[in-house]
């Protein structure tokens, strides 16, 4: 009887040890997985990988980078305000006009302006409304025929637009702060040399491999909880 009790006791101890080990291993794996959702890595040389100095989930990083090109172009239309600035309706329209020209210039109708000798794009308001909905979640913007901020032709019922869009910067997301009512993503506006080797260009654009002196400015993009832009702020380096 005593021997049987001893064997049962040993079995109980072994089972408990296995369960405890499994729980420990699971927690260790979970913590490791959680750690991988932020970019900070103590083995990274932050001077070389300056874009890795903050914390941001990989999901948000990738999501931002997918639209980085459009954001660069759209922000060309707006003043670099150093105070938190909500996007006005006019800001949204100007932002969308730049994005429309950059995205769809090969497909847009264009006509020669005989006064300037330059070709101008004729952009359907539906295109602008779609871009505004995509970035700002607004579908109630009305366009004015006599606005000084953009040229909306009453006779053509289209925007007449042409800007010299030259991209010398790239946005790289550095950190993310999330509260109950908004998400703030801080990005570096980085000088990019398109003539540099392809691998170096990719490392700078997608892996944050650039040095501090390559940063033109740092910008906060403020989103609501639905992921739409509501405000921005230039904060310097």
């Amino acid at each position: 009887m005593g021997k049987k009790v001893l064997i049962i006791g040993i079995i109980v101890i072994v089972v408990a040890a296995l369960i405890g080990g499994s729980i420990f291993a699971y927690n260790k794996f979970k913590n490791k997985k959680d750690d991988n959702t932020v970019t900070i890595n103590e083995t990274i040389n932050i001077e070389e990988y300056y874009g890795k100095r903050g914390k941001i989930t990989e999901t948000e990083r990738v999501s931002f980078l997918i639209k980085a090109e459009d954001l660069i172009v759209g922000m060309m239309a707006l003043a670099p305000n150093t105070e938190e600035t909500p996007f006005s309706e006019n800001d949204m329209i100007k932002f969308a006009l730049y994005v429309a020209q950059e995205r769809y210039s090969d497909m847009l109708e264009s006509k020669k302006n005989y006064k300037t000798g330059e070709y101008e794009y004729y952009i359907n308001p539906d295109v602008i409304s779609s871009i505004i909905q995509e970035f700002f979640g607004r579908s109630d913007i009305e366009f004015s025929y006599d606005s000084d901020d953009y040229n909306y032709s009453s006779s053509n019922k289209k925007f007449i637009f042409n800007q010299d869009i030259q991209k010398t910067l790239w946005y790289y997301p550095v950190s993310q702060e999330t509260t109950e009512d908004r998400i703030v993503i801080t990005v570096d506006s980085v000088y990019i040399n398109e003539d540099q080797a392809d691998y170096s260009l990719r490392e700078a654009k997608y892996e944050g491999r650039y040095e501090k002196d390559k940063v033109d400015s740092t910008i906060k993009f403020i989103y609501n909880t639905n992921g739409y832009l509501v405000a921005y702020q230039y904060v310097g380096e």
Side-chain angles (χ1 to χ4, degrees), residues 147-194:
S147 173
D148 292 330
D149 290 317
Y150 52 84
N151 185 6
Y152 184 29
S153 170
S154 58
S155 57
N156 292 282
K157 292 185 171 54
K158 292 184 179 181
F159 292 94
I160 301 176
F161 188 76
N162 186 9
Q163 290 293 330
D164 181 18
I165 297 175
Q166 296 184 1
K167 292 169 289 183
T168 58
L169 300 172
W170 179 255
Y171 288 161
Y172 190 82
V174 173
S175 66
Q176 167 195 317
E177 302 170 55
T178 303
T179 63
E180 291 183 359
D181 59 349
R182 66 184 198 168
I183 300 168
V184 179
I185 296 182
T186 301
V187 310
D188 283 338
S189 182
V190 185
Y191 288 109
I192 292 294
N193 178 7
E194 296 290 349

Side-chain angles (χ1 to χ4, degrees), residues 4 12 16 20 27 38 70 84 91 186 189 213-214 218 222 228:
K4 185 176 181 180
V12 169
N27 287 334
V38 296
D70 288 329
E84 185 173 311
D91 287 343
T186 301
S189 182
D213 62 5
K214 292 292 185 182
T218 300
I222 297 97
Y228 294 118

Side-chain angles (χ1 to χ4, degrees), residues 6-44:
L6 178 61
I7 292 172
I8 292 173
I10 292 171
I11 291 172
V12 169
I13 292 170
V14 170
V15 170
L18 288 173
I19 292 173
S22 298
I23 292 172
F24 174 78
Y26 171 76
N27 287 334
K28 185 176 181 181
F29 171 78
K30 183 175 182 299
N31 290 335
K32 185 177 180 181
K33 185 178 180 182
D34 290 343
D35 288 343
N36 287 337
T37 63
V38 296
T39 60
I40 195 67
N41 185 333
E42 298 301 332
T43 64
I44 287 177

Side-chain angles (χ1 to χ4, degrees), residues 215-234:
V215 177
D216 174 64
S217 59
T218 300
I219 310 169
K220 289 184 177 182
F221 286 99
I222 297 97
Y223 298 81
N224 62 22
T225 53
N226 293 318
Y228 294 118
L229 281 168
V230 293
Y232 71 96
Q233 180 181 8
Y234 282 72

